[in-house]
Amino acid sequence: MAFRRKTKSYPLFSQEFVIHNHADIGFCLVLCVLIGLMFEVTAKTAFLFILPQYNVSMPTADSETVHYHYGPKDLVTILFYIFITIILHAVVQEYILDKISKRLHLSKVKHSKFNESGQLVVFHLSSVIWCFYVVVTEGYLTNPRSLWEDYPHVYLPFQVKFFYLCQLAYWLHALPELYFQKVRKEEIPRQLQYICLYLVHIAGAYLLNLSRLGLILLLLQYSTEFLFHMARLFYFADENNEKLFNAWAAVFGVTRLFILTLAVLAIGFGLARMENQAFDPEKGNFNTLLCRLCVLLLVCAAQAWLMWRFIHSQLRHWREYWNEQNAKRRIPAAPRLPARLIKRESGYHENGVVKAENGTSPRTKKLKSP
């Protein structure tokens, strides 16, 4: 892992060299882009990596505001922030998670899950705070009708577009991290499933100009996931601590219901009543019956799949719990052996010799014959 004191050297650009120094390599590339800001010749190219592109000045009553729309150049910005995310991932792993895991003395399986949950707790917490700030400042919570009014939402404020670019960068960085972190083969399919789900939903909301609805749904989803991974960290620290799992189980079902309700309300009813129902990719308008059905089908299928996995997992845990309880009840109690009565001679024993209470020997004296 990067930023560690190397105890063993590896051949240059070998597989082990890249794995152990991938964060340092990313830091060098980021540093080259930042150095490019210092020179006039390369400054424009460097800004292409750092700042969101496609800005448009829109006049208002008082002044002009700058908004953004998406385009192919966003891929360059996302690539830059993928390297930023790799560096932050290595810092969290080295200076926080590794130090905690050494004290817990976890097995290999638990150590892998502990690192996964630790990284996701940091990401979900920061994303929830950031997303909540954006939603409140833009007024999406106080005015739910803004989720579908004035569609298509082609022009985005800076903080909304930057949030989506960072979200895409994080989940794209999670793909090579499966290789860099040497994740076990048994864990790769499970992690690929939720990584691809996040990428499809976030990219879909961004490209179909459903960014406002996507922010609300991400806020709900990230809050639930933060609670789950926090519960798992507490469980690894103390296996008897399962209270947070019960809280997460209660919140999980409510979150699925809220996500489905908002999706149906905004897409099935809100966009269906809009006048501009035409397929026009140049203007960013995808408000057609077919597009709405596809989006609703994707959201409902994802929520149904998550709910099915949750129910299956809960049933498995309950089955294991009841099997353990039944096994404890079936173990017969060890029969008590009756106490044997040991006849002892009168007096007390001292060093294996029976003595009378007055200190004399209890044996009868032999009378000498006259």
Side-chain angles (χ1 to χ4, degrees), residues 73-320:
K73 293 181 181 179
D74 290 340
L75 298 175
V76 181
T77 309
I78 292 173
L79 178 63
F80 176 78
Y81 285 99
I82 286 176
F83 289 111
I84 294 290
T85 310
I86 290 176
I87 297 171
L88 295 177
H89 186 113
V91 171
V92 172
Q93 184 68 41
E94 172 66 20
Y95 293 101
I96 300 177
L97 298 180
D98 286 349
K99 293 183 178 180
I100 297 176
S101 61
K102 287 180 181 179
R103 298 180 180 179
L104 297 177
H105 304 288
L106 302 173
S107 62
K108 290 184 178 181
V109 177
K110 289 184 177 181
H111 186 268
S112 176
K113 292 182 179 180
F114 177 83
N115 290 336
E116 177 192 1
S117 293
Q119 293 287 348
L120 290 175
V121 160
V122 176
F123 169 72
H124 288 316
L125 178 60
S126 58
S127 296
V128 165
I129 296 173
W130 189 4
C131 187
F132 182 76
Y133 174 79
V134 172
V135 168
V136 170
T137 53
E138 295 297 331
Y140 300 151
L141 282 181
T142 57
N143 185 17
R145 295 177 63 89
S146 63
L147 299 179
W148 60 83
E149 285 184 344
D150 300 328
Y151 182 85
H153 308 137
V154 178
Y155 300 105
L156 308 176
F158 172 82
Q159 58 181 355
V160 175
K161 177 168 183 174
F162 190 62
F163 176 82
Y164 271 96
L165 294 180
C166 291
Q167 292 295 313
L168 291 172
Y170 180 86
W171 292 112
L172 285 173
H173 113 281
L175 296 174
E177 283 293 342
L178 297 176
Y179 169 74
F180 294 143
Q181 297 296 328
K182 296 183 177 180
V183 178
R184 298 184 306 117
K185 293 182 179 180
E186 296 82 4
E187 293 289 328
I188 290 178
R190 179 185 62 83
Q191 295 191 25
L192 279 177
Q193 286 176 357
Y194 70 76
I195 290 172
C196 294
L197 273 178
Y198 277 117
L199 283 174
V200 169
H201 284 76
I202 295 173
Y206 183 64
L207 296 176
L208 297 178
N209 297 313
L210 295 170
S211 56
R212 300 179 182 180
L213 177 63
L215 285 172
I216 304 295
L217 298 185
L218 280 177
L219 180 62
L220 295 172
Q221 176 66 22
Y222 283 166
S223 301
T224 308
E225 290 298 307
F226 168 75
L227 188 59
F228 168 73
H229 291 288
M230 182 61 71
R232 200 155 73 158
L233 289 180
F234 277 103
Y235 175 76
F236 290 142
D238 183 9
E239 293 187 355
N240 296 324
N241 193 348
E242 296 184 355
K243 295 181 179 179
L244 279 179
F245 278 117
N246 298 329
W248 166 74
V251 173
F252 185 87
V254 177
T255 304
R256 301 308 114 204
L257 181 61
F258 271 105
I259 289 177
L260 288 175
T261 304
L262 281 175
V264 173
L265 179 64
I267 300 173
F269 292 95
L271 292 179
R273 297 179 179 179
M274 299 295 293
E275 296 180 357
N276 54 345
Q277 296 190 17
F279 183 76
D280 191 355
E282 294 183 358
K283 295 182 179 180
N285 189 0
F286 301 93
N287 188 13
T288 61
L289 178 61
L290 180 61
C291 291
R292 292 197 303 270
L293 288 177
C294 290
V295 172
L296 279 177
L297 181 63
L298 177 63
V299 174
C300 293
Q303 299 307 310
W305 180 72
L306 290 173
M307 199 65 194
W308 177 83
R309 286 189 58 189
F310 170 76
I311 294 173
H312 181 72
S313 175
Q314 293 298 314
L315 290 177
R316 187 181 72 248
H317 287 308
W318 288 341
R319 194 181 302 113
E320 293 175 356

Side-chain angles (χ1 to χ4, degrees), residues 308-363:
W308 177 83
R309 286 189 58 189
F310 170 76
I311 294 173
H312 181 72
S313 175
Q314 293 298 314
L315 290 177
R316 187 181 72 248
H317 287 308
W318 288 341
R319 194 181 302 113
E320 293 175 356
Y321 173 77
W322 286 113
N323 289 337
E324 291 178 0
Q325 296 297 321
N326 293 331
K328 291 179 180 179
R329 294 174 183 175
R330 291 174 184 174
I331 297 176
R336 295 183 179 180
L337 297 177
R340 295 181 180 178
L341 297 177
I342 301 175
K343 295 182 179 181
R344 293 189 177 183
E345 300 179 11
S346 60
Y348 67 95
H349 290 71
E350 182 178 346
N351 296 329
V353 180
V354 181
K355 293 188 176 182
E357 295 180 357
N358 56 0
T360 61
S361 177
R363 297 178 182 177

